Amino acid sequence: MAHVAPVDLEASREAAEEIKWLAGQTGFVANSMLTLSHRPEIATAVLNLIRAVVRNPNSTVDPALLWMVAHVTSLSNGCRYCSAHTFKNGADNGVPQDKLEALWDFETSALFSDVERAALRIALTGGQCPASADAADMEILRNHFSAAQIVEICSVIALFGFNNRWNALMETELEESVVTFVNSKNYHGPDATA
């Protein structure tokens, strides 16, 4: 059970339009944003980060890779809410189910390229707290991505660092449509439907 109940969408005041925009992207109204809307300026700030980091049409990193990075970050932090969301968003953004299911084995699975492994390694090591990414990990990342792309990838990790901590701390309740989706895909993330 969530520690703080989400507000009604209409009660979210200043954040309502941004929450509706995100719902148009995902197909559901996120309980995390409704809970943040107890302080609409915080909800709006987080939604602006989401728009800039993982919903940016000007991104030069494949959206599928960005969602895989978000998913590995969320898995490494054990956030059931964000793991379920990033699994769904990955599927919605072109990540095949077999790849989503194998993400935890990205280092050894033949499904992943060296480019993907470099980004996913940073998601795993950089997404932990404290971060354990080292100079060698970053050098491998630089072999495959420009400075701007590295900023994008690391921004996804940082954004989900906030999202993971917020939702795990608040015990945000998964939306019914997300539960239905992950159950239909036999998702086995951290307590995905709990």
Side-chain angles (χ1 to χ4, degrees):
M1 174 179 271
H3 294 299
V4 174
V7 300
D8 177 80
L9 179 60
E10 297 311 314
S12 64
R13 301 183 309 272
E14 298 93 26
E17 288 308 310
E18 287 296 308
I19 292 170
K20 288 176 187 174
W21 163 80
L22 183 61
Q25 300 288 305
T26 63
F28 60 90
V29 174
N31 285 334
S32 59
M33 294 302 116
L34 294 176
T35 304
L36 277 168
S37 289
H38 283 280
R39 293 292 305 271
E41 69 278 12
I42 298 172
T44 300
V46 172
L47 285 158
N48 284 332
L49 271 174
I50 290 168
R51 186 186 295 266
V53 174
V54 288
R55 300 285 178 184
N56 188 338
N58 298 319
S59 174
T60 61
V61 178
D62 180 10
L65 180 57
L66 292 179
W67 284 109
M68 288 191 291
V69 165
H71 191 60
V72 168
T73 300
S74 297
L75 287 172
S76 73
N77 284 303
C79 180
R80 69 169 181 83
Y81 184 85
C82 293
S83 295
H85 278 220
T86 56
F87 183 87
K88 181 183 183 310
N89 281 303
D92 291 348
N93 283 276
V95 182
Q97 184 167 343
D98 60 344
K99 213 170 200 179
L100 280 168
E101 291 172 358
L103 269 170
W104 205 239
D105 298 317
F106 69 87
E107 289 283 12
T108 57
S109 172
L111 294 172
F112 299 94
S113 69
D114 288 342
V115 172
E116 291 168 329
R117 283 190 186 95
L120 297 174
R121 188 174 305 114
I122 290 296
L124 178 62
T125 60
Q128 298 168 352
C129 193
S132 63
D134 61 23
D137 293 333
M138 293 305 287
E139 182 61 32
I140 293 168
L141 199 63
R142 278 193 295 276
N143 290 335
H144 298 288
F145 297 98
S146 69
Q149 290 172 319
I150 291 170
V151 167
E152 283 188 59
I153 290 165
C154 292
S155 293
V156 171
I157 296 164
L159 171 65
F160 277 89
F162 173 85
N163 288 342
N164 296 161
R165 278 153 189 77
W166 170 257
N167 291 299
L169 175 63
M170 299 307 287
E171 292 190 13
T172 308
E173 191 173 319
L174 275 167
E175 302 79 11
E176 189 57 40
S177 64
V178 176
V179 171
T180 300
F181 179 83
V182 297
N183 284 340
S184 74
K185 299 295 183 182
N186 296 315
Y187 175 61
H188 303 292
D191 299 319
T193 59

